[in-house]
Amino acid sequence: MYKLIIKRVIDITSSLFGIILFSPLIIAITILLFFLNNRKPFFVQRRPGKNGKIFKIIKFKTMNDKKDDNGILLPDYKRITKAGYFIRNNSLDEIPQLFNVFVGQMSLVGPRPLLEEYLPLYTKEQAKRHNVRPGITGWAQVNGRNTITWEQKFVHDIWYVQNISFETDFKIIIRTIEKVVKKKDISANEEVTMELFTGTKID
């Protein structure tokens, strides 16, 4: 009952409330980044959602598009702007995903939506993370986020898929708020985000 109906009802009402509550902040950040990021306040990217269906995730754009002499984007930590660092360090870049939640592409809680090119790299077990809607936050995010390995992250994702409940979601949301306030597990080493996933080695 919770997984099929109640969870979605909570997503709709909570995301709508969040959009209304944070609307002044959303407008302010959008205007700021519009001028700081060459009229590009948002980062929009194709991501796989439930059952691998592709959707466009929306976040505040925290990095510029600077490239090296070969036309390749510079590492994340070299492209993040001062305003972007502040926004990301306080997890404000995630706020626009409330719109993804409201329209049903995401949930408040679930495995984070990863890159589209990772789809053929998953093992059969890892692919189970797509049995549910991806989330703004999830079990892996409150258990290490970018400081744990890909294998550990997938173990957490699958555990969540198999143990969805109101109690679990509530616990994740509370722990997420705590981590945001304490600014814990924001990045791995000097990178802004995790290193790219290249597949799981099977001996």
Side-chain angles (χ1 to χ4, degrees):
M1 185 68 161
Y2 174 76
K3 182 178 178 180
L4 296 177
I5 300 176
I6 299 178
K7 182 175 173 65
R8 180 59 190 144
V9 172
I10 292 176
D11 281 341
I12 294 173
T13 54
S14 298
S15 59
L16 179 59
F17 176 76
I19 291 170
I20 296 173
L21 177 66
F22 293 119
S23 58
L25 185 60
I26 294 173
I27 294 172
I29 295 178
T30 300
I31 293 174
L32 174 66
L33 295 181
F34 178 84
F35 290 105
L36 294 180
N37 287 343
N38 297 318
R39 301 181 179 182
K40 297 179 181 179
F42 300 108
F43 170 80
V44 179
Q45 188 177 56
R46 287 166 56 89
R47 298 285 178 92
K50 185 177 180 180
N51 299 321
K53 183 178 180 180
I54 303 301
F55 72 98
K56 291 184 178 180
I57 193 173
I58 180 170
K59 303 173 69 174
F60 281 123
K61 188 175 176 63
T62 58
M63 294 183 285
N64 58 44
D65 299 315
K66 291 184 178 180
K67 302 178 180 179
D68 61 20
D69 295 335
N70 297 316
I72 300 175
L73 286 172
L74 294 173
D76 291 352
Y77 71 96
K78 289 187 177 181
R79 294 190 295 118
I80 190 166
T81 63
K82 290 183 178 179
Y85 178 81
F86 175 83
I87 291 171
R88 186 180 288 240
N89 197 43
N90 289 280
S91 298
L92 300 177
D93 58 316
E94 310 285 356
I95 294 178
Q97 289 170 69
L98 289 172
F99 291 98
N100 291 121
V101 174
F102 183 72
V103 299
Q105 297 165 330
M106 294 178 64
S107 176
L108 291 177
V109 180
R112 283 294 295 163
L114 302 177
L115 299 179
E116 183 179 3
E117 53 261 40
Y118 291 171
L119 283 174
L121 301 179
Y122 298 136
T123 64
K124 186 176 181 180
E125 183 70 9
Q126 291 167 350
K128 291 179 180 179
R129 69 191 313 278
H130 292 297
N131 289 349
V132 299
R133 288 187 179 89
I136 294 179
T137 186
W139 190 239
Q141 280 58 54
V142 298
N143 282 283
R145 195 175 178 179
N146 291 332
T147 64
I148 58 177
T149 66
W150 279 111
E151 284 68 27
Q152 291 171 320
K153 184 174 292 189
F154 290 137
V155 168
H156 289 313
D157 287 343
I158 303 309
W159 181 91
Y160 174 77
V161 171
Q162 298 173 340
N163 293 275
I164 293 179
S165 68
F166 174 79
E167 291 78 11
T168 299
D169 282 0
F170 184 75
K171 181 189 297 185
I172 291 173
I173 290 174
I174 295 301
R175 289 179 63 175
T176 297
I177 294 173
E178 293 175 348
K179 284 184 175 289
V180 169
V181 172
K182 295 179 181 179
K183 298 181 176 61
K184 293 184 62 178
D185 306 330
I186 298 296
S187 61
N189 300 320
E190 64 179 353
E191 297 291 332
V192 176
T193 54
M194 282 284 290
E195 61 183 12
L196 294 176
F197 176 61
T198 56
T200 299
K201 294 181 181 180
I202 301 177
D203 297 326

